[in-house]
């Protein structure tokens, strides 16, 4: 999952119009690469086969105007929610290996911090979805 996220974040970073948003995406790439290096090191130590890394990013001839920052923000936000869910499930299901469970907890803590900052940024920009508020009908 991280390989795909890093690859798409790189693509989104090159398409981002807002410079602050681009910096936020590049910071996510940095954070995810750090986590990925830890996971790869642990996998090698435990003799777990690794999936193939994606190819290096190439410059795209596609017009960056076709993708909006709001659209990219919402996609990344949905990934964040999926990642939080995956980390929680990994913590619950890792029963025998305490050091691995600790790594999942650290990743969850980092992910929660990033999600909070990312969501606040999206709210500031007006990119989050507004959920309608329903009240009791007035008679």
């Amino acid at each position: 999952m991280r390989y795909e996220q890093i690859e798409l974040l790189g693509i989104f970073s090159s398409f981002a119009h807002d410079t602050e948003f681009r910096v936020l995406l590049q910071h996510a790439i940095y954070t995810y690469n750090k986590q990925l290096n830890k996971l790869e090191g642990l996998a090698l130590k435990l003799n777990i086969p690794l999936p193939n890394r994606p190819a290096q990013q190439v410059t795209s001839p596609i017009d960056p105007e076709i993708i909006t920052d709001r659209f990219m923000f919402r996609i990344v936000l949905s990934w964040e929610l999926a990642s939080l869910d995956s980390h929680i499930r990994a913590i619950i299901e890792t029963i025998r290996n305490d050091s691995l469970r600790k790594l999942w907890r650290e990743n969850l803590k980092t992910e929660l911090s990033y999600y909070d900052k990312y969501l606040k940024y999206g709210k500031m920009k007006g990119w989050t979805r507004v959920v309608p508020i329903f009240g009791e009908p007035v008679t």
Side-chain angles (χ1 to χ4, degrees):
M1 182 157 98
R2 281 289 188 238
Y3 288 130
E4 290 83 9
Q5 287 176 331
I6 291 170
E7 189 172 13
L8 281 171
L9 284 172
I11 293 168
F12 286 173
S13 176
S14 65
F15 281 108
H17 301 40
D18 187 315
T19 54
E20 292 172 338
F21 184 50
R22 184 177 298 123
V23 168
L24 200 64
L25 293 173
Q26 290 169 348
H27 179 69
I29 291 169
Y30 171 77
T31 303
Y32 288 172
N33 273 316
K34 270 181 38 179
Q35 290 178 354
L36 194 59
N37 290 334
K38 282 184 184 177
L39 288 171
E40 287 175 339
L42 185 60
L44 291 173
K45 181 179 174 183
L46 298 173
N47 293 324
I48 298 171
L50 294 169
N52 294 331
R53 275 188 168 262
Q56 288 294 324
Q57 190 174 347
V58 295
T59 307
S60 175
I62 300 171
D63 179 17
E65 296 297 320
I66 62 173
I67 298 178
T68 64
D69 289 348
R70 174 183 288 194
F71 176 72
M72 292 184 286
F73 169 82
R74 289 181 176 176
I75 289 173
V76 174
L77 188 65
S78 68
W79 295 343
E80 286 296 314
L81 292 172
S83 292
L84 288 170
D85 186 50
S86 295
H87 291 313
I88 290 171
R89 274 192 262 135
I91 291 168
I92 291 169
E93 293 178 12
T94 306
I95 297 169
R96 295 182 181 187
N97 191 329
D98 293 337
S99 62
L100 183 58
R101 191 170 48 256
K102 181 181 177 193
L103 178 65
W104 295 137
R105 280 196 319 265
E106 290 169 2
N107 286 353
L108 175 64
K109 185 178 175 182
T110 303
E111 200 80 38
L112 278 170
S113 173
Y114 183 73
Y115 174 79
D116 187 50
K117 292 173 190 170
Y118 192 73
L119 186 62
K120 286 178 183 176
Y121 179 77
K123 285 168 53 176
M124 178 187 73
K125 289 292 195 174
W127 293 344
T128 55
R129 288 190 171 87
V130 178
V131 180
I133 300 172
F134 297 98
E136 292 294 321
V138 179
T139 56

